[in-house]
Amino acid sequence: MAQQAALFGESRQVLVSGAHGTIAYIPALFSAQESIELFGALHREVAWTSETMYMYDRVVDVPRLVASYPDLSHAPAEIGVIRARIEGKLGVVFSAVGLNYYRSGSDSVAWHSDKDEDLVADPTVALVSLGAARTMRVRTKAVPRTYLSVDLEPGSLFVMQGAAQQHYEHHIPKAKRPTEPRISVVFRTKRR
């Protein structure tokens, strides 16, 4: 645990730690002002797209807008600012980023884990949240399932490391009350 304290600093909240990976939450990695500025720039500069997917025997709209930069050299400058802060904090080098734009509380992401075949072994997946606070839910894949929730505040960092993708799923549920927009910026290290 002392290693994690050094890795995440005093403000970190280690939610899961052990053989099944580490999941941690770091509030205020970016200040309120930085978060507002980053959100505004990404909202304007990213080429957001809508996607569809096959679900329940039909094609449905993905309930959020998305963007990705498999080559970080082509990403907006603000992505580089976020990446540098995270890499400095975690000591991990990332090779790709995906973004999600949650337009309102009606936008969400279903239960999932990041695809292991796309990632390096024992990956670190680091998610910066900008805009409105939303709840991240995490559950074990094994039954009986255990659950945890964390409110992702603007400027916060949510980190899943090691075997976490093999043993846990996560999602952002629809919000029951009106919610302002949110952007998640998700860094990964992919296989070459």
Side-chain angles (χ1 to χ4, degrees):
M1 194 66 81
Q3 180 183 12
Q4 289 175 340
L7 178 64
F8 294 114
E10 293 304 314
S11 63
R12 68 43 178 124
Q13 299 170 22
V14 176
L15 307 170
V16 171
S17 179
H20 290 168
T22 300
I23 301 175
Y25 176 67
I26 304 167
L29 183 66
F30 293 89
S31 71
Q33 187 59 41
E34 288 173 318
S35 298
I36 290 167
E37 291 169 4
L38 289 166
F39 178 92
L42 293 175
H43 181 254
R44 288 187 307 274
E45 295 177 26
V46 169
W48 299 104
T49 61
S50 59
E51 293 184 344
T52 58
M53 60 188 238
Y54 191 74
M55 186 177 200
Y56 305 119
D57 298 326
R58 62 189 174 115
V59 176
V60 298
D61 291 330
V62 170
R64 65 194 175 282
L65 300 179
V66 297
S68 66
Y69 295 92
D71 178 353
L72 288 170
S73 66
H74 295 109
E78 292 77 15
I79 298 291
V81 169
I82 298 168
R83 177 185 180 197
R85 179 90 48 100
I86 295 171
E87 288 181 346
K89 184 78 168 172
L90 301 178
V92 174
V93 176
F94 295 101
S95 62
V97 66
L99 297 97
N100 296 288
Y101 180 58
Y102 298 83
R103 297 159 290 189
S104 70
S106 297
D107 283 356
S108 61
V109 65
W111 287 108
H112 70 286
S113 54
D114 288 34
K115 296 181 183 92
D116 285 337
E117 64 270 14
D118 294 340
L119 304 175
V120 297
D122 294 326
T124 297
V125 177
L127 181 153
V128 169
S129 191
L130 303 167
R134 291 290 295 269
T135 300
M136 170 75 79
R137 294 204 175 137
V138 178
R139 71 181 181 189
T140 57
K141 290 183 180 180
V143 292
R145 293 190 194 270
T146 57
Y147 294 81
L148 60 94
S149 294
V150 62
D151 290 333
L152 303 178
E153 297 292 331
S156 65
L157 176 62
F158 184 83
V159 182
M160 297 170 281
Q161 293 182 301
Q165 299 302 323
Q166 297 171 32
H167 297 282
Y168 295 91
E169 297 176 311
H170 53 282
H171 90 119
I172 302 286
K174 293 184 186 308
K176 294 181 179 175
R177 55 181 87 117
T179 304
E180 294 296 315
R182 171 184 177 263
I183 294 173
S184 68
V185 186
V186 186
F187 290 90
R188 301 172 180 91
T189 302
K190 298 207 170 191
R191 296 182 192 275
R192 295 179 190 241

